[in-house]
Amino acid sequence: MKNQTLWVLGTGGTIAGSLNQSSTTDMPAAAHAPYTAAKHSIASLLTSMNDQMPSNWLIDSEQIMQIDSKDMNWNNWKLLVLAVDRLQQLEQSGSILITHGTDTIEETAAMLDWWMQHDSRWTKSITLTCAMRPADHPQADGPANLSQACRWAVHAQELQPQVWVSAAQQVWRADQVQKNHPLDIQAIGSRNGSPTATWQIQSLDWQASSSATAGGVKVPPSIHAMHVRGISSLSNWPEAQPWVEVIRSGACADPRTTNSMIESGVQGLIVECTGNGTWNKALDISLHAAIIKKIPVAWVSRCPHGTPMNSAHPEEWADWSYFNASKARVWMMLELAFMR
């Protein structure tokens, strides 16, 4: 009897892509050939997956959108969150899998992770998977990634509910994962820690990594005052996204960028600091002006790996250094949109 459901939501991406007609069929397997993302339906990608599932699991798929993930926008996220929320409310037990493009997978994972951390009704684990080569590439990585992600989603149903990313024989928590290479088949990796699990070719199953960072997602302090009560309803999803920008510190940092944003009504700022959380002093006056105008400011490091230890920041700045700038921006947008 099939009493568990794997709900698979398709959003497009390279995993659903198709080689352009001009691409040669005898190209080297590892070559980067021109292709168009989001051409194949999620139903077609799942054709052989039912046979690979445990006997008590059923796959149910739904095409939420069909886009290149570089074009992911605020309204796309609304559609995805509403679909996930609907599945989270079902009494039937199971797990959720989302196919996605690699370009913004870490941001969508961060977005879903924010909801997972703030909505106690979300009790089903969410796994995202992707590919670096289109579906009809001679050595497409999507089929293996999808098969492995299905197996991980089944396993994740028994774990504490979290958001995961499964790709290239590894699984990462949403707060860890990031894209590290524009072309490599192993493009998806980590900012912090080891993968949660690694795919074993011999046993065709996942094995937990003994060195993996234990515990749940590290939730940063809110940018709001301590009297925050909770989140507003999904039905109140704002038509326009909150305007949050990243200010990158470095040599010859120019405060005019920050000043211009403040004058134009920016609603939140992420300061991407150098090294161990330091920043160019040329930005001091403009960033202080943001604080005076009660514009929330959070800081991260531009270093691609590790977590800085510097604590010498203005007390008004939120320490979100566990994230990279892209995830911090997503997190702040959601806090501004939904925290009350």
Side-chain angles (χ1 to χ4, degrees):
M1 178 179 178
K2 295 184 182 295
N3 57 4
Q4 302 269 36
T5 301
L6 175 61
W7 294 280
V8 186
L9 306 179
T11 70
T14 299
I15 194 170
S18 182
L19 289 169
N20 294 348
Q21 292 182 352
S22 60
S23 301
T24 58
T25 56
D26 58 347
M27 63 182 179
H32 175 66
Y35 70 94
T36 302
K39 285 294 186 180
H40 296 269
S41 70
I42 188 59
S44 67
L45 298 180
L46 290 168
T47 301
S48 62
M49 292 302 160
N50 267 309
D51 296 337
Q52 302 181 36
M53 298 293 289
S55 60
N56 63 324
W57 278 78
L58 171 72
I59 294 181
D60 186 5
S61 66
E62 182 177 353
Q63 194 79 50
I64 304 302
M65 66 194 76
Q66 188 71 301
I67 65 170
D68 187 322
S69 78
K70 68 177 176 58
D71 298 319
M72 186 66 69
N73 62 34
W74 185 246
N75 188 58
N76 294 142
W77 274 354
K78 176 182 179 180
L79 295 175
L80 183 58
V81 170
L82 288 174
V84 170
D85 187 67
R86 170 170 46 83
L87 297 176
Q88 293 285 1
Q89 308 319 310
L90 296 178
E91 293 185 2
Q92 186 173 356
S93 178
S95 192
I96 300 169
L97 174 62
I98 300 170
T99 58
H100 200 285
T102 61
D103 282 346
T104 59
I105 194 170
E106 65 192 78
E107 289 156 279
T108 295
M111 181 273 294
L112 293 168
D113 188 43
W114 187 92
W115 280 102
M116 181 73 79
Q117 302 305 317
H118 290 84
D119 194 332
S120 60
R121 301 172 306 152
W122 283 31
T123 58
K124 297 180 177 74
S125 286
I126 303 169
T127 303
L128 292 90
T129 194
C130 54
M132 289 297 292
R133 296 171 182 163
D136 53 0
H137 189 285
Q139 290 193 357
D141 54 325
N145 284 351
L146 185 56
S147 175
Q148 292 163 16
C150 286
R151 293 289 295 273
W152 173 257
V154 169
H155 176 69
Q157 191 264 348
E158 303 174 358
L159 305 176
Q160 177 183 348
Q162 288 194 38
V163 177
W164 311 93
V165 174
S166 171
Q169 302 181 5
Q170 293 180 324
V171 171
W172 308 92
R173 289 200 319 260
D175 60 322
Q176 297 174 303
V177 74
Q178 66 182 24
K179 185 174 182 177
N180 290 324
H181 197 283
L183 300 174
D184 197 284
I185 201 74
Q186 298 280 350
I188 304 300
S190 170
R191 175 178 174 84
N192 294 303
S194 302
T196 297
T198 303
W199 183 256
Q200 302 298 303
I201 299 296
Q202 297 82 0
S203 61
L204 296 179
D205 208 348
W206 291 100
Q207 179 177 333
S209 302
S210 59
S211 59
T213 305
V217 174
K218 181 177 180 180
V219 179
S222 173
I223 59 171
H224 294 274
M226 295 301 291
H227 65 268
V228 167
R229 303 299 183 190
I231 63 172
S232 60
S233 170
L234 266 174
S235 63
N236 295 328
W237 190 285
E239 183 176 344
Q241 68 193 55
W243 182 18
V244 178
E245 292 292 349
V246 178
I247 301 298
R248 194 167 193 262
S249 182
C252 303
D254 194 327
R256 289 178 295 181
T257 300
T258 311
N259 291 334
S260 177
M261 290 179 182
I262 293 173
E263 292 170 3
S264 299
V266 73
Q267 295 169 267
L269 293 172
I270 306 298
V271 182
E272 191 178 41
C273 295
T274 45
N276 190 32
T278 57
W279 68 97
N280 192 313
K281 65 181 181 180
L283 300 174
D284 281 350
I285 294 177
S286 60
L287 290 172
H288 182 67
I291 296 300
I292 295 299
K293 289 182 175 290
K294 300 190 181 304
I295 299 171
V297 176
W299 72 273
V300 299
S301 173
R302 76 182 197 185
C303 293
H305 300 289
T307 302
M309 304 299 292
N310 184 14
S311 59
H313 299 88
E315 61 180 3
E316 297 88 354
W317 293 14
D319 179 357
W320 287 5
S321 55
Y322 192 75
F323 291 151
N324 61 21
S326 296
K327 290 182 184 177
R329 178 172 174 265
V330 169
W331 205 270
M332 185 176 287
M333 288 167 60
L334 293 165
E335 288 219 347
L336 290 170
F338 296 103
M339 293 291 281
R340 298 291 183 263

